[in-house]
Amino acid sequence: MDNVVALCIPIGALIIGQLMDRIGRKKACIITCLILLSSWTVATFMTSDEIYWFFAFRILAGIGGGMTTVCMIYVSEISHSSYKQLLLSLNSVFFSGGILLSTSIVQLEWNIINYTFIGLTVVNIVLIIINMPESPIWILKFKSPEHVDEAKSAMQQLYPRNKQVFEREWERLKSTSSCCVAVATGNSSFIESVRSNAAAYKPMVVLAFLLLLQQLTGAYPCISYALPVLKRVLSGREYSISEIDSLTALGAIRFAAGLLTCALSFYVGRKPLMMFSCAGMVLSSALVIVFQDFVTGPSTVPLPLCGVMLFVFSSSLGVLVFPWTMICELLSTPVRAVGGCLLVSYTYVIMFMVLKVFPHVLENLSVVGIYLFFGVTSLLMAAYVHFVVPETLGKSFHEIEAYFTKNLEKPDHM
């Protein structure tokens, strides 16, 4: 059944990519919540022998999950460049927090769980309607010129107490919105932008390979198949810690690493954190290999398990977070919604294939062989980030577009 969700997530991302440019980010967020609300409603009223309704519940959940891509697009567009990195990094924290919430209420009755998530979704819809302004960038780029006052009003909602910041951000936004008429009247399409604009196709190529490396580093298989991995690592050894205890510890480590990443991203750029994350994964893979192959016999300290824990912690410091957030940062406004959702769909397809293959790899390949591959791929990703991926800390969309169009000498000097 999880395969149904995984296959529907790319569909939801493709749908919302087309929809959010037409109707706006705010309405797209509301529709996403309504799809998720319908999935939990179906789950509440179905019975155990209604397999078709169960499939409907999982399909709607997958589509709704893919449609949540609009949230990161919206956050990237309304955030001040000084806080964008921090706010986008919160996506990983909330994702980990959602998993912790789900596991904490798993012992409750099925309907109570459903009602809990129905209530949370309804609260989200109400808050979006009442408090969430439309993206000023979307208004200027995708609506007719007479909606300038509407964009200004939305900007004022974002900066209600700091007139100086509001004026500066409003002037910056107007100065970078010269193409709004062409986009609004349909003279510029996604395909045309990708074919003719370096600020559109160059970041998509950079991100496509970055996301491929992310999936091949093993960060997601080690989380999705944490219990089988831990059983393999601990097999044949006598430790006082159980697999279930280790699984709980992995969840706590990932959540803590997400919080640490948010704090660090306020001061440290994407590139250093991703390279540090990759280096930690290389080191932890080496520890697993050494401890698993050369350190044998009973021990009070689960050394291979420590390597796995360090691998999950290291991956959560950058590899699991920033390739997703950089989709929203590197893509230019005319292609951000459609292009970003295409990249999300592409990545989830790769993720689906990796997660389908991994159980067979885990069954037929040794732990040493698996982590050797993970370590080498992590090393390749570190090199790719260093030489190819541009830095985005404190950079506006205009500065990022200028890097790809003006071909600056070094990504680090954007």
Side-chain angles (χ1 to χ4, degrees):
M1 293 300 174
D2 288 337
N3 293 339
V4 175
V5 175
L7 286 173
C8 290
I9 287 176
I11 297 174
L14 290 174
I15 291 172
I16 204 65
Q18 296 290 332
L19 198 60
M20 72 173 87
D21 276 352
R22 295 177 180 272
I23 67 173
R25 307 335 190 194
K26 180 174 182 176
K27 291 179 181 177
C29 286
I30 295 174
I31 291 175
T32 299
C33 289
L34 290 175
I35 296 295
L36 293 172
L37 180 62
S38 65
S39 70
W40 287 113
T41 303
V42 169
T44 301
F45 294 104
M46 70 183 184
T47 60
S48 58
D49 59 342
E50 294 176 326
I51 187 65
Y52 297 107
W53 284 110
F54 188 77
F55 271 105
F57 157 60
R58 301 299 284 171
I59 290 171
L60 288 170
I63 292 174
M67 292 175 70
T68 57
T69 306
V70 64
C71 302
M72 292 188 67
I73 301 292
Y74 176 79
V75 169
S76 70
E77 292 184 346
I78 67 167
S79 303
H80 190 279
S81 57
S82 300
Y83 302 98
K84 189 185 304 176
Q85 206 163 21
L86 171 65
L87 294 174
L88 287 174
S89 299
L90 284 174
N91 178 67
S92 177
V93 175
F94 291 142
F95 184 83
S96 302
I99 293 176
L100 285 178
L101 174 62
S102 301
T103 55
S104 65
I105 64 174
V106 72
Q107 301 297 330
L108 300 177
E109 293 184 8
W110 175 247
N111 278 346
I112 294 178
I113 296 175
N114 291 334
Y115 289 135
T116 299
F117 286 107
I118 285 175
L120 291 174
T121 308
V122 170
V123 170
N124 278 337
I125 294 174
V126 173
L127 291 176
I128 289 171
I129 293 173
I130 295 175
N131 293 324
M132 180 172 150
E134 183 54 85
S135 165
I137 293 178
W138 177 81
I139 296 173
L140 287 180
K141 295 274 187 175
F142 292 92
K143 297 186 77 171
S144 54
E146 58 265 22
H147 290 86
V148 171
D149 289 340
E150 182 183 346
K152 188 172 184 179
S153 176
M155 183 70 78
Q156 286 175 326
Q157 286 184 261
L158 296 173
Y159 303 100
R161 298 179 181 177
N162 195 323
K163 187 175 181 181
Q164 184 178 1
V165 175
F166 160 71
E167 293 291 346
R168 184 169 62 250
E169 289 297 300
W170 175 243
E171 291 301 321
R172 181 192 58 78
L173 181 59
K174 287 195 300 180
S175 67
T176 58
S177 299
S178 58
C179 63
C180 62
V181 177
V183 175
T185 56
N187 294 328
S188 177
S189 67
F190 169 76
I191 296 177
E192 291 171 350
S193 296
V194 170
R195 291 172 61 181
S196 61
N197 187 357
Y201 68 78
K202 283 186 178 181
M204 289 199 69
V205 173
V206 169
L207 287 166
F209 198 70
L210 179 66
L211 290 163
L212 174 62
L213 289 172
Q214 178 205 47
Q215 296 303 313
L216 296 179
T217 57
Y220 283 101
C222 283
I223 293 173
S224 300
Y225 293 98
L227 194 55
V229 169
L230 293 172
K231 286 181 178 179
R232 282 292 305 275
V233 169
L234 297 176
S235 63
R237 300 165 185 267
E238 296 181 1
Y239 297 121
S240 58
I241 187 170
S242 67
E243 291 94 346
I244 299 299
D245 292 335
S246 303
L247 189 63
T248 304
L250 279 177
I253 286 173
R254 187 183 177 193
F255 183 71
L259 291 174
L260 179 60
T261 303
C262 281
L264 291 174
S265 66
F266 201 58
Y267 306 99
V268 185
R270 298 285 202 243
K271 291 185 66 170
L273 280 175
M274 277 199 288
M275 291 172 63
F276 180 81
S277 176
C278 291
M281 294 169 72
V282 173
L283 175 62
S284 56
S285 296
L287 292 177
V288 173
I289 292 170
V290 172
F291 293 148
Q292 188 75 18
D293 208 21
F294 298 105
V295 179
T296 58
S299 173
T300 57
V301 180
L303 297 178
L305 179 61
C306 292
V308 175
M309 296 288 187
L310 180 59
F311 185 88
V312 172
F313 178 80
S314 300
S315 66
S316 300
L317 288 177
V319 170
L320 285 172
V321 182
F322 296 136
W324 297 107
T325 62
M326 294 190 83
I327 292 176
C328 305
E329 293 179 293
L330 294 186
L331 296 181
S332 59
T333 301
V335 300
R336 187 173 300 126
V338 177
C341 290
L342 280 173
L343 286 169
V344 169
S345 299
Y346 152 84
T347 309
Y348 272 109
V349 170
I350 297 174
M351 184 190 298
F352 172 77
M353 292 188 291
V354 169
L355 295 180
K356 288 293 288 183
V357 170
F358 186 73
H360 303 286
V361 174
L362 190 62
E363 184 179 349
N364 297 294
L365 196 63
S366 67
V367 172
V368 171
I370 292 172
Y371 276 89
L372 178 61
F373 178 83
F374 290 165
V376 171
T377 309
S378 299
L379 186 61
L380 289 174
M381 184 172 178
Y384 181 78
V385 170
H386 176 70
F387 290 108
V388 179
V389 178
E391 183 56 78
T392 60
L393 178 63
K395 307 301 179 183
S396 66
F397 287 131
H398 179 66
E399 291 174 301
I400 294 171
E401 289 181 24
Y403 164 69
F404 288 107
T405 55
K406 294 180 182 179
N407 194 23
L408 300 183
E409 293 181 2
K410 293 287 185 180
D412 292 321
H413 297 317
M414 278 179 50

